[in-house]
Amino acid sequence: VSVHNASAQRVARSIFELGLRRGQDTALGAALGLLLPPPGQARANVLRLSPVQLLVLTESVEVDRALASVNDQSSGLTCFDLAGPDIRAALAAMCRVDLHDTVFAVGRVARTSMAQMPIVLWRTGSNEFCALAQATLAQSFAEALGHAGIVLTTP
Amino acid sequence: MSGFRLDKGGRIDRSRPVSFLFDDVAYRGFHGDTLASALLASGVTLVGRSFKYHRKRGIVTAGPEEPCALVERGTGARREPNTPATTAEIYDGFVATSQNRFPSLRFDLGAIAQTVAAFLPAGFYYKTFMWPGALWERVYEPAIRRAAGLGRSATGRDPDSYAHRHHHCDVLVVGLGPAGLAAAASAAQNGSRVLAVEQHFEIGGTLLDDPVQGNELARLRAALDRPNVETLTRTAAIGAYDHGVVAVLESVNDHLPKHARSGPRQILHIVRAARTIFATGSIDRLIAFPNNDLPGVMTARAAHVYATRYGVAVGRRPIFFCNNDETYRAAFTLADAGVRPVAIVDRRRASYAADAARAREIKVMAGFEVADVWGGAGGIAGVRVRNCADGGEIDLAADVLCVSGGQSAQVQLASQARLKLDWSTEHGSFVVAESTKQFDAAGAVHGHTGLRAAMADGARAGGGSISLPPGEDNPVSPWQECWEVAGSGKAFVDLQHDVTADDIRLAHREGYAHVEHAKRYTTHGMGTDQGRIGGLVGSAVLAAARGETVESVGLPKFRPYTQSTAWGALAGPDVGMNFKPRRLLPLHDWHAKAGAVFVNIGLWLRPLVYSPTGDTSWGPVLAEARRVRSSVGVTDVSSLGKIDVSGPDAAIFLDRIYANMFSTLAVGRARYGLMLREDGIMLDDGTTSRLAADRFVVTTTTQKSADVLDHMEWHLQAVWPELDVSLADISDQWAQFAVAGPHARDTLAPLVTGLDFSNEAFPFMAAGEATIAGVAGRLFRISFSGELAYEVSVPAHAAEQVWKAIVAAGAAPYGLDALNLMRVEKGHMTGAEINGTTSAHDLGLARMLKKNGDFIGRALGQREALLAPDRLQLVGILPLDPAARLRGGAHLVAATDAGPSQGYVTSCCMSSVRPGWVGLALLAGGRARHGETLVAASPVFSENVAVKIVSPHHYDPENLRVRA
């Protein structure tokens, strides 16, 4: 496949999945120190995947169970930092989401399917993304990135 | 025929000669030639043999609608059949071979079919070769397939790579002729994201054939040179689908010599456009007159295009046969190039175009038709022309006959997109009659012909306006119906599939009068060209037979793909090892080092057995199982689905999702749960543990983990949105190991802290949090093997540390085969028993169903038929002869060769605790039949094994060992 100016790096990150309790948006935001982003968007290190499901990329989360249920996903999800001037063109080979600026601006988050794998895709910069893959699929996802012309680098 | 290269003209690069091979003969052409144009320039007429009758065939068109000049392109594993010579661009070293002939094009043994042609009408194979039936598969079908057919596909693995690309835009424009260019330009001006695709290697469409409009073409091209427009050539839309999805195939490398190729051979663009505009234009169609398939008979448009784009004259003495003004443009182009038409035979008595021809001193035979044509050494030799008024006939010498029965709008894609088509008497074609939110059409396909009219319509579709070229479109005289000229000899309506007008009438006589039925009975329009140049003619012949108008008969529905498409392009990168992703256990590498033989279970790779020698026979499996039964073993069950169910309503939610009760489960305890589908059939089983009042961990089978999560999520979101519950898929976060065997507690105890691990404090079905080998995790006392067993759950990053500690403490690793063997002995179920047909009653689990309170599957599970006593029920089976082996799938019958089947074997294996085999089976009314003797019959292996029906619980039915 054609080689793009795009690279990927597997990064170990601490991740927690939060299940929001009913009507606790504001309270949970306060506990996390921010206004919760709307679904499909990220604010700081908080990714809101759905009205009730969030990922927080942080070392630890101390949240009252009345606000949210918490599951450590640091071993369950593998982070890939993707970058490069051609990264969007390269991702188009495997990603159905429209990554155009007017549709998927910086800060947008999507759960989608890439190379037949469930992936959380987060646009972290104009030519930067973070992709979260299930840990047991991380090897296959890394290979799929390679097939899309995205060069895997080691930190 | 005597096609030749004109001294000047065309869009080819005469400074770049190209040499290529066709049927092992070397020819020369120029850069910018197609195989067809280069062969025509070299005087080659015969390029193929027909599908059924092996008649000689030549080049008929100049585009992807080509029905006859289909070749095998390339050699070896790259050989690709059914490539239109009219679209294949040549390069130095290009190789193509003709198809469907043996031993050669000129002398084809298959042509003997012509001598028996009278016995090969439409549907002949439905009526003949009926008996003896035994010969069908072995003799008739292979013989027919060998005699009929097109090219041969390559047998080797495709050495090329293919890519997919997801493409999003506001406007997709398909076809970049005047209308498409105008649509793209006007949409681009609005700032829309535009993807503009053209199947030819140069954009422009009919503008390419009109030297007067060269400036217009340049202007439109320039209008697309903007950052919000992407233009792709050599790119054809091959299918239009629901939700506005259009499949667009880009040919990247097919036109390049090997050394110049890079990247994928083709890219399949999956385009999601807010709006797609089909500007697919129109093409000339044939007229059904006798011998209209002879090499040397071609469309008038083709003659025009070969002259304007490739500088090729298709003959020296052309005759034109038409019923429309458009055809005269081709005649004038050839005349301007110095090739004077012998005559233009026009069914119409008068027209603007005829007047213009006469002004150019070109002979027009108005009110005439072509009654017959005959071949000569190269192409045709003569044409018989008949006066429509008095029937008088005149023979004319000619070397090429250029035909146009009118222009058919290219409605295939619009039809796939379900746009309504209407008959246009003015254009003599079905044209697109409407637009939808997602699909529109512009130009000729929309009934707007003529340069300015087409451009104006394109600009409208593009949502803007553009300036039109000065002047006005020439006035056009009306088209006049001319579908068929009666006479003796085969008059084809489908040249690729050898369907004649008589075949259509035969279909009608035999009751296949609907256009869809006639299509299937005759195979009309079912070739790779989708009957583009003759489809409408077939409909018209059928209409005449029905005594109706072509408008009421219509066209058959079109379906993807619009052209032959390589499987590789559809598969894209998902081939070989990438066919599907692989899920690797956190300890995959450890298992591999320990000599595990892996097995694919869904996406997972799981250790089947630890056998460094690769021996997967029962020996090492039984050794692993016996080690567990007698001492202790450990197996990796990390692939089980694990779902965290939390929130104040978690218990209520589980009470409804499961068929048994969970709100009564104490914190620190686990329970086996049954999940049913809405129809009462078993969905999945597994253990669920309560970690806190508002927190449960559900485990699912490996196979069903995604389905169960879906099932839960859907019910939570759609059925009980009032429940405050969170679901989290924690399957990958937690590695899980089963430690099983009478010594399991002794082995684990030294590793466990933070939990009273005694039998009393942590009994069977206990669950709790603990530190295991220094890692914070969870412990469950549950057993699949039937032994005293624990499942240890730790975060996946610490899996290796904990696993190694357990192994070091004396537990021997065992694989999936041993795991399965022990569960069969114990009578536990997996997907073989919970197979989408069985209910809780069938599996002997009815007592677990809640008596009070509702749950998914309760109502429909009480249907009479699901409770019938003769349903297939789970039983155990034992062969009477311990030396006899059981087979999964074997049917249970009363005696050898005595049907009917009363059930079947679902799971079986060698036993670790008794001699020979044990099995589980589903048997009609099985629970009441313990003690009976039946025969497990496997016709596949020609085996009949006498078996005794027993309880499914072969091992420790009192369940004492798990509580030890």
Side-chain angles (χ1 to χ4, degrees), chain A residues 17 19 21-22 65 70-76 92-93 95-96 98 100 116 134-137 140 143 147, chain B residues 164-166 168 193 574 578-579 582-584 644 646 648 692 694-695 721 723-724 726 728-729 732-733 797:
Chain A
E17 178 174 341
R21 294 277 69 81
R22 287 303 153 80
R65 66 199 307 147
V70 178
N71 277 287
D72 188 351
Q73 291 280 24
S74 308
S75 293
C95 175
R96 286 154 210 223
D98 185 354
H100 194 265
Q116 308 179 57
Q134 283 179 269
T136 55
L137 285 167
S140 276
E143 289 166 13
H147 297 139
Chain B
H164 286 175
R165 186 176 166 199
H166 295 277
H168 302 265
R193 293 160 66 193
D574 300 337
N578 309 313
F579 179 65
R582 281 158 295 126
R583 283 186 89 170
L584 302 183
D644 181 287
S646 290
D694 60 352
R695 175 167 236 177
L723 296 184
D724 190 0
S726 307
D729 180 1
D732 282 19
Q733 170 70 19
H797 69 87

Side-chain angles (χ1 to χ4, degrees), chain B residues 593-659:
Chain B
K593 274 190 214 130
V597 177
F598 288 96
V599 60
N600 267 107
I601 304 285
L603 299 184
W604 289 99
L605 281 176
R606 296 179 67 184
L608 187 67
V609 60
Y610 295 86
S611 176
T613 60
D615 176 9
T616 56
S617 67
W618 286 106
V621 174
L622 285 168
E624 285 180 2
R626 285 180 180 135
R627 173 80 191 247
V628 174
R629 293 266 186 250
S630 64
S631 175
V632 61
V634 59
T635 191
D636 191 340
V637 293
S638 301
S639 62
L640 291 176
K642 303 162 212 98
I643 303 168
D644 181 287
V645 180
S646 290
D649 299 325
I652 299 171
F653 175 70
L654 291 178
D655 276 350
R656 296 179 187 177
I657 280 284
Y658 275 116

Side-chain angles (χ1 to χ4, degrees), chain B residues 18-21 74-75 90-96 257-258 261:
Chain B
V18 167
S19 61
F20 66 98
L21 289 178
T75 54
I90 55 166
Y91 48 82
D92 255 329
F94 177 94
V95 178
K258 253 184 210 144
R261 294 174 194 166

Side-chain angles (χ1 to χ4, degrees), chain B residues 45-58 67-69 99-101 104-106 108-115 117-118 147 149 289-295 297 372-375 488-492 494-500:
Chain B
T45 310
L46 176 62
V47 297
R49 287 279 178 168
S50 76
F51 182 66
K52 192 158 114 183
Y53 303 120
H54 290 251
R55 286 168 69 107
K56 292 177 179 178
R57 291 289 164 80
C68 293
Q99 318 187 138
N100 201 31
R101 84 288 186 275
S104 75
L105 263 184
R106 295 224 153 264
D108 173 24
L109 284 175
I112 196 166
Q114 292 174 48
T115 62
F289 55 84
N291 301 312
N292 64 342
D293 65 327
L294 282 182
V297 179
D372 199 1
V373 54
W374 54 91
S488 64
K490 290 195 177 300
F492 289 88
D494 185 322
L495 293 164
Q496 187 177 124
H497 268 182
D498 272 359
V499 181
T500 64

Side-chain angles (χ1 to χ4, degrees), chain B residues 188-267:
Chain B
Q189 276 169 14
N190 301 339
S192 296
R193 293 160 66 193
V194 178
L195 176 63
V197 303
E198 166 55 48
Q199 61 191 4
H200 191 56
F201 52 84
E202 232 184 326
I203 65 173
T206 53
L207 282 170
L208 295 173
D209 310 317
D210 193 346
V212 178
Q213 298 299 344
N215 288 342
E216 194 54 35
L217 178 55
R219 183 175 75 92
L220 287 168
R221 272 186 178 154
L224 300 191
D225 191 14
R226 300 164 63 113
N228 57 328
V229 180
E230 185 171 356
T231 306
L232 298 173
T233 54
R234 299 186 176 90
T235 301
I238 59 171
Y241 303 87
D242 291 349
H243 311 296
V245 173
V246 177
V248 168
L249 186 62
E250 178 185 6
S251 174
V252 181
N253 277 332
D254 284 344
H255 63 293
L256 297 172
K258 253 184 210 144
H259 64 84
R261 294 174 194 166
S262 70
R265 179 186 167 212
Q266 296 173 347
I267 300 173

Side-chain angles (χ1 to χ4, degrees), chain B residues 346-349 366-369 386-392 480:
Chain B
D346 194 332
R347 270 286 284 260
R348 301 172 301 172
R349 300 206 60 83
F368 281 70
E369 63 190 9
R386 180 193 296 146
N387 186 328
C388 299
D390 61 16
Q480 181 189 314

